[in-house]
Amino acid sequence: MTSNREIHLASRPVGWPTEDDFRLVETDVPTPGPGQIVVRNQYLSVDPYMRGRMNDVKSYVAPFALDAPLDGAAIGEVVASEAADIAVGATVLHGLGWREYALLDATAARPVDPSIAPASAYLSVLGMTGLTAYAGLLEVAAMKPGETVFVSAAAGAVGSLVGQIAKLKGAGRVVGSAGSPAKVERLRALGFDAAFDYHDGVRESLRAAAPDGVDVYFDNVGGDHLEAAISAMNLHGRVAICGMIAQYNATEPSAAPRNLALVIGKRLTLRGFLVNDHNDVRAAFVRDVAGWLRDGTLSYDETIVDGVENAPAAFLGLLRGDNLGKMLVKV
């Protein structure tokens, strides 16, 4: 193969992105230099945080450049190598997604064993997604056995794992919100004690699902979900703020939460986090999750879109909530 297709950012979205904000570009397959490898990507990850990188604003990660390929987590097979430590044929995890072939320094790739789990799992349950759920729940929110846990966007890649991990670690009650009756049913099948469709009203539904209050809230949504959680929180409750997808495409400031004063009297802890701050728990994460996968006590869902040319559509679908579990692009 001599042709490589990649997705470029054509324009910076205002509000909701559209297909016109992306461009499919054909280039040559790169040739590795000393210490470099070329990876034929098999799966690409699209994630909510990427919406923020499409804006030209200062953040915890640099914005995407215009008229250049986007990037993100990917996994694939090494097809050319000028590096002593990574051979042709190896399967590696790396950060240059949104393209068919990636050229990178070998030090920026992490070899994985595809015989242990499907390659796609290293982008979901065994990858950043799984570590986010594990560290956010157990380290950031410091969940204790017997506590009540509420998870927003609970049918998504992170949320669905948070709920299951909470049960496996002894939570007394786990409640999830999702965006459709089918997703609510899926949460119940995954072992959530209660689940509701947020279109039915978040505050009222949460009160009914957690009548004794909430001790831990894992926030993927922000806005009205965060407001409802603050109202429902018990004394000394903790909120792990992973994302606020309800606000990523907003052009006006969010109206909620309007009840932050409750944080004082309830002595709540609201803590934002980034997964890369918690690499110290990776060994425990791998041990626990590998064991749960092996004995069948942990499940994960994937929504797979075929073709790199459809990566923008997959990303837009993710923002709309079309996915069940992890949204991936099969190259």
Side-chain angles (χ1 to χ4, degrees), residues 225-248:
H225 278 73
L226 180 55
E227 183 175 279
I230 289 172
S231 291
M233 296 294 284
N234 294 324
L235 289 178
H236 304 292
R238 288 91 63 207
V239 180
I241 302 177
C242 176
M244 293 191 174
I245 196 169
Q247 298 167 221
Y248 290 164

Side-chain angles (χ1 to χ4, degrees), residues 138-163:
L138 303 178
E139 295 292 307
V140 179
M143 188 210 82
K144 303 177 184 68
E147 291 189 318
T148 295
V149 177
F150 171 43
V151 188
S152 57
V158 173
S160 59
L161 296 177
V162 172

Side-chain angles (χ1 to χ4, degrees), residues 223-309:
D224 59 349
H225 278 73
L226 180 55
E227 183 175 279
I230 289 172
S231 291
M233 296 294 284
N234 294 324
L235 289 178
H236 304 292
R238 288 91 63 207
V239 180
I241 302 177
C242 176
M244 293 191 174
I245 196 169
Q247 298 167 221
Y248 290 164
N249 299 305
T251 56
E252 298 292 335
S254 173
R258 297 160 293 187
N259 57 350
L260 284 175
L262 293 177
V263 171
I264 303 168
K266 293 186 176 187
R267 282 86 92 195
L268 305 181
T269 299
L270 279 65
R271 182 179 169 191
F273 73 101
L274 299 177
V275 65
N276 289 337
D277 295 337
H278 298 279
N279 284 318
D280 58 313
V281 300
R282 183 178 291 277
F285 156 71
V286 171
R287 181 195 66 235
D288 282 351
V289 171
W292 293 330
L293 290 174
R294 192 163 46 245
D295 64 22
T297 55
L298 183 69
S299 300
Y300 65 99
D301 293 312
E302 296 176 337
T303 300
I304 297 177
V305 174
D306 285 325
V308 68
E309 70 277 10

Side-chain angles (χ1 to χ4, degrees), residues 152-204:
S152 57
V158 173
S160 59
L161 296 177
V162 172
Q164 293 180 83
I165 293 171
K167 293 297 290 185
L168 288 164
K169 288 292 187 177
R173 186 169 180 80
V174 177
V175 176
S177 72
S180 72
K183 289 183 177 181
V184 168
E185 287 304 311
R186 179 56 181 161
L187 294 181
R188 291 176 177 141
L190 289 175
F192 282 67
D193 296 290
F196 61 85
D197 185 335
Y198 65 79
H199 295 104
D200 295 332
V202 181
R203 186 183 294 246
E204 300 79 6

Side-chain angles (χ1 to χ4, degrees), residues 8 34 57 60 77 85 94 204 215 223 241 294 304:
H8 289 205
V57 296
Y60 63 88
E77 180 183 356
D85 296 334
H94 63 92
E204 300 79 6
D215 301 298
I241 302 177
R294 192 163 46 245
I304 297 177

Side-chain angles (χ1 to χ4, degrees), residues 14-209:
V14 177
W16 281 84
T18 70
E19 294 267 5
D20 291 338
D21 292 315
F22 305 91
R23 182 181 300 118
L24 179 65
V25 176
E26 188 168 310
T27 65
D28 294 330
V29 173
T31 300
Q36 293 184 318
I37 59 174
V38 174
V39 180
R40 170 68 164 94
N41 285 330
Q42 297 168 331
Y43 291 94
L44 318 174
S45 176
V46 292
D47 301 284
Y49 82 89
M50 294 175 174
R51 176 61 187 88
R53 294 189 65 193
M54 294 174 187
N55 300 329
D56 190 12
V57 296
K58 185 177 181 180
S59 184
Y60 63 88
V61 62
F64 292 125
L66 286 174
D67 301 314
L70 294 91
D71 59 67
I75 193 166
E77 180 183 356
V78 176
V79 294
S81 176
E82 292 295 333
D85 296 334
I86 299 183
V88 170
T91 300
V92 297
L93 189 66
H94 63 92
L96 293 182
W98 293 80
R99 68 201 78 188
E100 291 177 318
Y101 290 87
L103 171 69
L104 62 150
D105 292 338
T107 54
R110 180 163 65 90
V112 298
D113 187 350
S115 69
I116 295 176
S120 61
Y122 289 98
L123 294 175
S124 58
V125 64
L126 289 174
M128 180 184 72
T129 298
L131 182 58
T132 299
Y134 187 94
L137 177 69
L138 303 178
E139 295 292 307
V140 179
M143 188 210 82
K144 303 177 184 68
E147 291 189 318
T148 295
V149 177
F150 171 43
V151 188
S152 57
V158 173
S160 59
L161 296 177
V162 172
Q164 293 180 83
I165 293 171
K167 293 297 290 185
L168 288 164
K169 288 292 187 177
R173 186 169 180 80
V174 177
V175 176
S177 72
S180 72
K183 289 183 177 181
V184 168
E185 287 304 311
R186 179 56 181 161
L187 294 181
R188 291 176 177 141
L190 289 175
F192 282 67
D193 296 290
F196 61 85
D197 185 335
Y198 65 79
H199 295 104
D200 295 332
V202 181
R203 186 183 294 246
E204 300 79 6
S205 298
L206 179 58
R207 187 182 299 117

